[in-house]
């Protein structure tokens, strides 16, 4: 098992940070909390360490990573060009859960971008993430600290469960605040195109982007056949629990389908994930039920944790009540959709 060290999320301990920096300088991997999910950190300019990140995750080497830096100046230093749209969004939303895709500067090794000529940059707000970047004095490449296509980690224990010894050190700063990954916006070519809905919601993004007098485009589809995949977050299957995830369009359909599965003779264990307060749901020895809050931010904060718990309970199938339509739910609805897509699609 990796070494797991508790660290104060408000005032991170210097000695622990120094240990993490030593691990990174030795080419090791350090998992740390951000305001979204836990990241699997490596020195961004260390090609061997970057290669270890891909191996640890089981992620194809062409799927690019995000470089985490302390401020806009450090982000610009990694970019070949910094369009006005980048400045506008960065000024409004950094530090915070926004990732910008820009042209990669030629001095930045291509490994972090999976060979692409772009680079994703993000300025996190979490004190531990910031203190770690400051102590290292260099950008940190960090994908979510989970196996490829699996559930993102919002607790240190999720990282240990997913990655085990593939990570050298886990900084345990408690639960992540947003619980869902950053919003990724491609700002190349004078446009603002959302590649991944995330913790910055569409309303805040529009309010910020309006200053640039440009429309925000949301890419809904996965890459068209024959075109290069725009980013791994756009894969049809992603963010998925081990159990088969089925979406029910409302509470009644979720309950009905759960009852049906439980009455079948095969003896499957069923997980039920409802949205909003519900007093009494079904009760059955093979049923594990959870209700998440009806508020989108609260739901997002607890979503991955609830799915991890259902997986840990050993259910074969999870019936999730689809969250309401509407922009406030965009990130959660996106993860539900991708988690529920079967790998054969
Ligand atoms: O909240 C987050 O963003 C977390 C924390 C740790 O910062 N990180 C994270 O990283 O979610 P990862 O690797 O699991 O997802 C990165 C996403 C990819 O799915 C992809 O959509 C996009 O960022 N991405 C990264 N580099 C890109 C690039 N050069 N071009 C297009 N998309 C890119
Ligand atoms: Mg990820």
């Amino acid at each position: 098992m990796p070494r797991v060290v508790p660290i104060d999320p408000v005032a991170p301990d210097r000695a622990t940070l120094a240990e993490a920096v030593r691990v990174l300088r030795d080419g090791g991997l350090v998992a740390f909390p951000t305001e979204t999910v836990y990241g699997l950190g490596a020195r961004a300019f260390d090609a061997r360490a970057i290669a270890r990140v891909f191996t640890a995750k089981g992620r194809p080497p062409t799927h690019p990573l995000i470089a985490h830096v302390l401020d806009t100046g450090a982000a610009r230093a990694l970019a070949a060009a910094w369009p006005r749209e980048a400045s506008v969004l960065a000024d409004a939303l950094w530090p915070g859960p926004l990732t910008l895709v820009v042209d990669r500067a030629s001095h930045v090794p291509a490994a972090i971008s999976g060979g692409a000529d772009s680079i994703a940059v993000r300025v996190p707000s979490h004190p531990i993430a910031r203190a770690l970047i400051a102590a290292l004095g260099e950008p940190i490449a960090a994908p979510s600290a989970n196996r490829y296509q699996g559930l993102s980690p919002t607790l240190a224990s999720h990282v240990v469960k997913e990655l085990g010894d593939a990570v050298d050190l886990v900084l345990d700063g408690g639960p992540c605040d947003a619980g869902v990954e950053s919003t990724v916006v491609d700002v190349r070519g004078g446009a603002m195109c959302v590649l991944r809905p995330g913790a910055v919601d569409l309303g805040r993004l529009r309010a910020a982007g309006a200053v640039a007098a440009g429309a925000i485009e949301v890419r809904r589809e996965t890459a068209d056949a024959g075109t290069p995949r725009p980013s791994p977050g756009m894969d049809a299957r992603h963010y998925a629990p081990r159990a088969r995830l089925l979406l029910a369009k409302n509470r009644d359909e979720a309950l009905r389908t759960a009852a049906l599965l439980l009455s079948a003779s095969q003896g499957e264990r069923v997980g039920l994930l409802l949205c909003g307060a519900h007093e009494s749901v079904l009760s059955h020895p093979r049923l594990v039920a959870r209700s998440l809050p009806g508020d989108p931010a609260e739901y997002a904060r607890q979503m991955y944790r609830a799915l991890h718990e259902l997986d840990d309970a050993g259910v074969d199938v999870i019936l999730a009540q689809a969250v309401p339509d509407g922009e406030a739910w965009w990130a959660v609805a996106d993860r539900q959709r991708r988690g529920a897509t079967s790998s054969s699609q």
Side-chain angles (χ1 to χ4, degrees):
M1 283 297 111
R3 186 165 144 71
V4 180
V5 184
I7 181 164
D8 187 330
V10 180
D13 170 60
R14 290 247 208 100
T16 307
L17 291 169
E19 180 184 348
V21 166
R22 277 197 301 278
V23 171
L24 291 170
R25 293 225 168 103
D26 280 351
L29 307 186
V30 175
F32 61 96
T34 78
E35 67 275 27
T36 57
V37 300
Y38 273 74
L40 179 62
R43 281 179 66 210
F45 298 143
D46 180 341
R48 294 247 300 270
I50 296 290
R52 282 193 64 198
V53 169
F54 285 102
T55 307
K57 284 182 65 78
R59 174 155 159 167
T62 51
H63 287 194
L65 309 179
I66 299 171
H68 294 66
V69 293
L70 270 191
D71 52 37
T72 303
R76 287 181 84 141
L78 303 177
W82 196 255
R84 179 171 135 75
E85 289 75 14
S87 292
V88 165
L89 294 181
D91 286 353
L93 298 164
W94 276 350
L98 170 76
T99 295
L100 296 176
V101 174
V102 291
D103 289 318
R104 178 171 52 84
S106 56
H107 68 87
V108 176
I112 187 172
S113 298
D117 54 11
S118 58
I119 184 165
V121 287
R122 147 158 148 78
V123 175
S125 60
H126 194 294
I128 294 175
R130 298 188 62 79
L132 185 62
I133 300 164
L136 180 68
E138 290 173 32
I140 296 181
S144 52
N146 54 276
R147 298 281 303 167
Y148 179 55
Q149 297 186 328
L151 296 173
S152 287
T154 56
L155 290 175
S157 59
H158 298 159
V159 179
V160 175
K161 181 179 74 163
E162 285 271 311
L163 299 177
D165 282 332
V167 50
D168 299 297
L169 176 67
V170 180
L171 301 180
D172 181 355
C176 298
D177 188 44
V180 70
E181 301 82 354
S182 63
T183 301
V184 180
V185 185
D186 188 343
V187 288
R188 292 171 299 166
M192 291 175 284
C193 175
V194 176
L195 298 181
R196 177 176 72 180
V200 172
D201 67 33
L202 194 51
R204 281 174 66 207
L205 203 58
R206 280 213 191 96
V211 181
I216 307 270
E217 181 199 338
V218 182
R219 205 176 288 173
R220 290 226 172 273
E221 304 304 323
T222 50
D224 295 334
T227 65
R229 178 183 287 119
S231 76
M234 305 299 286
D235 280 356
R237 180 181 170 82
H238 223 91
Y239 314 106
R242 268 193 297 274
R244 213 159 75 243
L245 181 64
L246 302 178
L247 279 188
K249 63 175 182 294
N250 53 39
R251 174 182 188 269
D252 287 347
E253 187 183 297
L255 290 175
R256 246 196 339 267
T257 314
L260 212 69
L261 287 169
L262 288 165
S263 68
S265 56
Q266 285 86 341
E268 275 196 322
R269 290 173 62 81
V270 177
L272 187 60
L273 191 62
L274 298 173
C275 173
H278 301 288
E279 308 82 58
S280 66
V281 289
L282 285 176
S283 166
H284 190 283
R286 284 190 279 111
L287 179 78
V288 187
R290 291 269 186 287
S291 283
L292 290 181
D295 169 70
E298 266 308 317
Y299 188 108
R301 185 170 296 137
Q302 299 178 34
M303 173 180 68
Y304 282 129
R305 186 176 181 163
L307 290 168
H308 274 288
E309 284 171 4
L310 291 174
D311 262 349
D312 293 346
V315 300
D316 302 288
V317 53
I318 297 172
L319 266 169
Q321 175 186 347
V323 296
D325 290 335
E327 287 181 354
W329 289 93
W330 76 328
V332 166
D334 174 80
R335 303 307 185 268
Q336 278 197 337
R337 200 155 34 81
R338 293 183 197 285
T341 307
S342 107
S343 51
S344 59
Q345 284 184 303

